[in-house]
Amino acid sequence: MDRRRFLTLAPLALGVSGMLPFLGGCRQDDPLRVSYHPWIGYETLYLAERFNWLPDAARLTRRQSASESLAALQKHEADAAALTLDEVIRARLQGMDLVVVMVFNVSAGADALVVHESIKRLEQLEGKRIGAEGSAVGAMLLDRVLEKAELTREQVTVVDVPADRHLAAWEAAEVDAVVSYEPTVSQLRRAGAVLMADSRDFPDTIFDVLAVRRDCIDHVEHTLLGLVDAHFRALEHLRFNRQDALYRIADVESVTPADARRALGGVLLPDRRANQRYLSPGSRLTVAAAELERRLAAGNGLGNGWYSDAFLPRSHARAG
């Protein structure tokens, strides 16, 4: 369940020469190619595909990581992708013109800080080794924790640990605390780590979204509307037929239904109305985006039109 492996838009995704120009826009009769990877908030796409709710012209590709999705967008092998907000902003700031058209989920406990049992209070993190991946999401949560503890980064040792090594680093005693996310948080807790803080303490901070290349939007409008509608249909299935949905998700992600349930409990899944609020000027989504931009030390800014609610059911087009 790696939704945050893409960290820097550096060699793996875009090549050592940096951002290359797109190879050309979409044509009117092209399908909408959507890339996503395993994460509880994105599995509405899997459910929609499984129940044949997707529009005929939608093509889903399940990849291993966000880096693969972003590379596919850059190489014109995908037109849209499920990404974290910081991944979208990084891509935009480096030249990829993406538009956020839907919010899949907001982290509400799925991202967390776990610590050694000897650490009883946040201020006891001083002098400790804290493992975290180097993404803007990980950095943001860590900074929020340190602010709450009234500590600076200079007072702790931040160890850059990829998400797929969080458990191994903990078991090898390489770190005293870890900033991670589900299902790894549950695995860390089973290994003896203690939950100290999570994204419920910092609401409306970490978002997962659907982003579309701007050069494709006009040509896939009808299909994109159908895709977004299929997501909300799958969301209703998840809410009203929860057990069936959990077993299907657990099967495709190769985890237990209990792990899937726990991961689902750590996210908020906004409905149509909540999406319209998030995709509006001055919303918590735009505030979080501005904060991420500042943390990335960007000088050129996000620009206009980086989000739109035009593809939400029964919405009126707005862009910001």
Side-chain angles (χ1 to χ4, degrees), residues 16-61:
V16 295
S17 60
M19 179 67 67
L20 298 175
F22 286 126
L23 302 178
C26 300
R27 296 175 302 183
Q28 195 66 43
D29 56 349
D30 283 346
L32 173 62
R33 300 165 299 174
V34 183
S35 180
Y36 76 112
H37 53 282
W39 166 244
I40 192 68
Y42 303 154
E43 296 303 352
T44 50
L45 296 179
Y46 164 74
L47 293 174
E49 183 176 44
R50 188 67 182 266
F51 288 116
N52 296 314
W53 293 335
L54 295 175
D56 292 339
R59 304 285 188 272
L60 296 188
T61 300

Side-chain angles (χ1 to χ4, degrees), residues 47-298:
L47 293 174
E49 183 176 44
R50 188 67 182 266
F51 288 116
N52 296 314
W53 293 335
L54 295 175
D56 292 339
R59 304 285 188 272
L60 296 188
T61 300
R62 190 178 181 91
R63 303 183 191 273
Q64 293 301 309
S65 67
S67 59
E68 292 186 10
S69 292
L70 280 152
L73 287 169
Q74 192 273 330
K75 292 187 289 186
H76 217 273
E77 295 172 355
D79 312 309
L83 302 165
T84 52
L85 181 61
D86 71 299
E87 289 160 350
V88 173
I89 292 173
R90 285 178 183 271
R92 282 189 56 85
L93 294 175
Q94 296 198 24
M96 191 183 294
D97 195 359
L98 300 177
V99 181
V100 172
V101 298
M102 189 184 73
V103 178
F104 281 103
N105 67 266
V106 187
S107 182
D111 296 84
L113 169 75
V114 295
V115 302
H116 190 272
E117 62 182 359
S118 64
I119 300 173
K120 307 298 184 182
R121 304 184 307 278
L122 283 177
E123 54 266 32
Q124 291 179 317
L125 290 171
E126 184 174 2
K128 298 298 191 295
R129 301 162 299 170
I130 305 176
E133 59 180 357
S135 68
V137 166
M140 183 190 306
L141 186 60
L142 177 58
D143 286 347
R144 291 288 183 89
V145 166
L146 292 177
E147 288 167 9
K148 190 172 182 180
E150 297 184 350
L151 296 173
T152 66
R153 279 185 172 247
E154 289 70 29
Q155 293 175 284
V156 300
T157 299
V158 180
V159 183
D160 189 356
V161 182
D164 58 3
R165 284 206 68 251
H166 283 181
L167 182 59
W170 175 264
E171 292 178 333
E174 297 172 9
V175 293
D176 306 300
V178 184
V179 174
S180 192
Y181 53 90
E182 292 289 3
T184 306
V185 168
S186 293
Q187 295 169 346
L188 288 163
R189 295 181 71 180
R190 286 196 288 267
V194 177
L195 180 68
M196 179 63 71
D198 62 36
S199 48
R200 287 173 296 186
D201 300 312
F202 314 106
D204 288 338
T205 297
I206 302 172
F207 295 83
D208 286 274
V209 301
L210 178 65
V212 187
R213 291 201 344 256
R214 187 181 302 278
D215 61 341
C216 288
I217 281 184
D218 291 341
H219 303 291
V220 296
E221 179 178 359
H222 181 74
T223 305
L224 185 54
L225 285 165
L227 176 75
V228 172
D229 188 67
H231 157 77
F232 287 115
R233 188 174 179 182
L235 192 57
E236 290 179 1
H237 180 80
L238 184 58
R239 285 172 173 160
F240 296 110
N241 297 278
R242 194 178 185 87
Q243 200 68 9
D244 173 78
L246 283 172
Y247 273 87
R248 291 178 186 274
I249 291 170
D251 182 62
V252 73
E253 292 196 347
S254 300
V255 298
T256 68
D259 282 337
R261 184 180 298 106
R262 192 174 297 109
L264 188 63
V267 295
L268 301 176
L269 302 168
D271 60 14
R272 294 167 173 83
R273 287 189 177 183
N275 257 269
Q276 287 183 320
R277 289 195 296 271
Y278 281 127
L279 297 175
S280 300
S283 71
R284 295 302 297 267
L285 178 79
T286 62
V287 170
E291 181 177 350
L292 282 164
E293 182 189 358
R294 288 193 298 271
R295 289 178 183 274
L296 292 169

Side-chain angles (χ1 to χ4, degrees), residues 3-26:
R3 83 192 200 275
R4 297 191 170 102
R5 183 169 297 168
F6 181 79
L7 306 179
T8 60
L9 284 181
L12 177 61
L14 300 175
V16 295
S17 60
M19 179 67 67
L20 298 175
F22 286 126
L23 302 178
C26 300

